[in-house]
Amino acid sequence: MNSSLSISRSGLKGLQTHLDITSNNIANVNTIGFKQKNTNFYELLRNDVAGQNGPLPNGVSRGMKATQGQFNMTQGSFIAGSNPFDLAISGEGMFGIRLPDNQLAYTRDGSFAFDQNGVLRNASGNRVEMTLNVPKNNWPKGEPYVREDGQVRIGNVLVGEIPVFDDANSSQLIEVGENQWVLPQGQAAAKLANPVIKQHFLEGSNVELAESMSDMIVTQRAYSMNAKVLQATDEMMQRINEYKQ
């Protein structure tokens, strides 16, 4: 393939990847606990350009590549919740979720509720990692109070505890859908010693809408420019072929 066509093709492909990631961020601007995804850009190998005294310092780039990068784990804004187990983490940490295969996953979405069997579940129906000191059906009457450290009390009775897990390895998180992540190769995060849980609150998405929209506009313009270069290169090659004939 002609090098100009190859370079333009790699640019279109990389910019399309960035557009997909940015549009997904924008679509989840109102998703509870959503963490913005970043894009990593890489320059492909350069071809050295020979000069009279050897290779010139600036070669010809072979194009670019874009991949989904790390999640942006910055704090989202707090939104008032409507039930006692609407929980938000302030600062570091993640809630633990058991997937259907019993693998431990992690999330910042703390919209939890008990099912009819007394099991605390998230919005996807997966079981929340929680220690019950007293079975849910035997809890004393009264409003559950979730302390900042995760202890669940009714009056003076400690009925359970919701652990918060360390997010020190957030760069390794693998998305499994529904705002849930796992660590690779069965790794498990350690429990956080001093979490800060806010009861009656949920954490909103950390997507900056204005910034993401501006980024999308700039990327679309860059995509259009690459497409024009591709078209111009194709037209030049057609003219060259006509002259050869």
Side-chain angles (χ1 to χ4, degrees):
M1 181 184 291
N2 180 280
S3 60
S4 296
L5 291 175
S6 178
I7 292 170
S8 296
R9 176 179 175 273
S10 71
L12 289 174
K13 187 175 181 180
L15 292 169
Q16 182 62 59
T17 298
H18 184 50
L19 278 173
D20 292 342
I21 293 171
T22 304
S23 60
N24 183 68
N25 289 337
I26 293 173
N28 286 280
V29 69
N30 293 318
T31 300
I32 299 300
F34 181 82
K35 295 302 175 186
Q36 179 173 308
K37 301 170 187 173
N38 297 323
T39 307
N40 288 338
F41 291 95
Y42 304 93
E43 183 181 16
L44 301 182
L45 291 174
R46 287 174 172 264
N47 281 351
D48 290 335
V49 178
Q52 293 181 349
N53 300 317
L56 298 178
N58 296 320
V60 177
S61 171
R62 297 296 295 176
M64 56 92 83
K65 179 181 179 181
T67 61
Q68 180 177 304
Q70 298 179 6
F71 293 93
N72 180 349
M73 298 300 289
T74 57
Q75 180 82 55
S77 59
F78 290 133
I79 303 169
S82 58
N83 76 68
F85 288 93
D86 281 341
L87 308 175
I89 297 173
S90 177
E92 300 177 351
M94 302 174 291
F95 295 112
I97 303 293
R98 288 290 174 180
L99 299 177
D101 62 358
N102 205 41
Q103 183 179 9
L104 184 60
Y106 308 96
T107 186
R108 293 280 293 196
D109 181 356
S111 50
F112 306 143
F114 279 96
D115 64 13
Q116 59 184 2
N117 297 317
V119 178
L120 189 63
R121 299 188 180 276
N122 69 353
S124 302
N126 293 326
R127 178 167 58 89
V128 179
E129 190 75 355
M130 178 183 185
T131 301
L132 284 175
N133 294 0
V134 179
K136 175 63 172 61
N137 295 333
N138 295 333
W139 280 12
K141 293 182 179 180
E143 178 79 6
Y145 171 59
V146 182
R147 299 191 346 168
E148 288 190 344
D149 60 3
Q151 288 189 1
V152 183
R153 292 181 174 271
I154 299 179
N156 295 324
V157 180
L158 176 63
V159 296
E161 183 176 359
I162 300 173
V164 174
F165 295 88
D166 193 354
D167 60 4
N169 295 325
S170 60
S171 61
Q172 302 180 39
L173 290 174
I174 301 170
E175 190 176 21
V176 293
E178 302 294 336
N179 253 350
Q180 300 166 141
W181 307 294
V182 297
L183 288 171
Q185 301 176 348
Q187 297 179 45
K191 292 183 180 179
L192 200 62
N194 299 300
V196 179
I197 296 177
K198 300 291 186 183
Q199 187 181 21
H200 297 297
F201 285 96
L202 295 170
E203 182 183 2
S205 168
N206 68 349
V207 175
E208 293 289 343
L209 184 57
E211 179 182 338
S212 296
M213 290 295 292
S214 298
D215 191 17
M216 175 171 282
I217 292 170
V218 171
T219 305
Q220 286 175 330
R221 289 177 177 173
Y223 187 96
S224 177
M225 291 175 65
N226 269 267
K228 290 178 180 178
V229 170
L230 188 67
Q231 182 180 6
T233 303
D234 183 57
E235 290 175 354
M236 284 191 295
M237 291 179 66
Q238 288 181 12
R239 295 289 182 271
I240 292 171
N241 288 333
E242 290 174 1
Y243 289 133
K244 285 182 178 180
Q245 293 174 359

